[in-house]
Amino acid sequence: EDKVVQSPLSLVVHEGDTVTLNCSYEVTNFRSLLWYKQEKKAPTFLFMLTSSGIEKKSGRLSSILDKKELFSILNITATQTGDSAIYLCAVEAVKTGANNLFFGTGTRLTVIP
Amino acid sequence: KAGVTQTPRYLIKTRGQQVTLSCSPISGHRSVSWYQQTPGQGLQFLFEYFSETQRNKGNFPGRFSGRQFSNSRSEMNVSTLELGDSALYLCASSLAAGTAETQYFGPGTRLLVL
């Protein structure tokens, strides 16, 4: 059964801290791994990773994929209150006619001033 | 450019009723996907439509159905509602099918089944 597991489920940190969010997966016919940020309702796209070991970076956020160990991490440095959100990891698979995008349940990050 | 819009934003129904949710994609986008989000299960894929044809379908019972119109607008229908159908229903649009990284999500419809 295809599944994506995120940890921790929730995290509370102080502004300025660095956090690491984890995503492990067991999905056949892997195509890509995606990270989203969900603040209120609509998730917004952060990164797409397809190759192992290549870090994607956007400002204070970065992410890397390990296709051998089947996991990815999302790092946020110098956290700000605006980083408070649910962070979703999803794995896209190559499947015809069936579900091809599997989400984890998310990590709820709370950044306190 | 207007974003993905979903109507209604909130809905309260009772068990056994049916409901229809609507999604208008970003102009020019031809692919629409639907997701159900609950605290316990997270975000789960329902189905994807492209050019009025269902391309992919998630593991949901037949009570969940959808369609897409020629203007790319999509509707999702849930019949014989159950308490467990209470969830946030999100739709997402993209230019082409099967391009998860270019999906734009709508604000969702919050459905409460009593």
Side-chain angles (χ1 to χ4, degrees):
Chain A
E1 183 187 342
D2 299 302
K3 63 179 178 180
V4 176
V5 178
Q6 291 186 247
S7 63
L9 289 180
S10 65
L11 197 52
V12 180
V13 300
H14 287 95
E15 266 191 320
D17 287 350
T18 292
V19 298
T20 298
L21 310 183
N22 303 291
C23 175
S24 63
Y25 63 91
E26 291 177 30
V27 176
T28 55
N29 299 324
F30 174 93
R31 172 187 278 172
S32 65
L33 186 143
L34 304 102
W35 284 97
Y36 295 86
K37 178 182 182 182
Q38 186 176 25
E39 290 180 84
K40 289 180 182 175
K41 296 278 180 71
T44 53
F45 171 78
L46 293 174
F47 298 112
M48 182 180 78
L49 303 143
T50 55
S51 303
S52 279
I54 298 175
E55 185 183 52
K56 291 277 183 93
K57 201 167 167 64
S58 175
R60 297 176 293 102
L61 277 66
S62 63
S63 183
I64 198 160
L65 172 68
D66 185 327
K67 289 169 72 173
K68 183 180 175 187
E69 299 298 328
L70 308 182
F71 79 90
S72 173
I73 59 172
L74 174 68
N75 277 321
I76 308 175
T77 59
T79 51
Q80 302 171 356
T81 54
D83 295 328
S84 296
I86 296 173
Y87 290 84
L88 298 167
C89 170
V91 173
E92 188 180 22
V94 180
K95 295 181 193 287
T96 303
N99 183 15
N100 63 350
L101 191 60
F102 302 89
F103 282 84
T105 51
T107 293
R108 181 180 292 276
L109 174 66
T110 304
V111 181
I112 52 179
Chain B
K1 195 184 239 187
V4 178
T5 57
Q6 291 187 245
T7 56
R9 295 294 307 279
Y10 302 92
L11 205 48
I12 299 175
K13 291 284 188 179
T14 55
R15 277 182 300 174
Q17 287 187 308
Q18 75 160 22
V19 67
T20 299
L21 312 182
S22 180
C23 172
S24 293
I26 291 172
S27 177
H29 284 195
R30 294 168 63 192
S31 171
V32 173
S33 297
W34 287 90
Y35 300 88
Q36 181 196 65
Q37 188 174 30
T38 59
Q41 298 294 321
L43 247 168
Q44 293 183 283
F45 172 80
L46 280 156
F47 22 67
E48 179 189 16
Y49 286 89
F50 181 77
S51 292
E52 301 178 68
T53 300
Q54 188 180 88
R55 283 191 76 250
N56 293 308
K57 188 178 191 307
N59 191 23
F60 277 81
R63 301 185 296 107
F64 291 81
S65 63
R67 58 178 175 167
Q68 186 180 35
F69 302 96
S70 57
N71 61 357
S72 294
R73 189 178 70 85
S74 178
E75 285 182 348
M76 192 193 91
N77 186 273
V78 188
S79 62
T80 321
L81 283 165
E82 300 177 359
L83 296 179
D85 297 333
S86 295
L88 178 68
Y89 290 88
L90 292 162
C91 85
S93 76
S94 58
L95 276 169
T99 54
E101 73 274 18
T102 58
Q103 281 187 123
Y104 291 85
F105 283 85
T109 293
R110 172 81 59 187
L111 171 65
L112 178 61
V113 182
L114 302 175

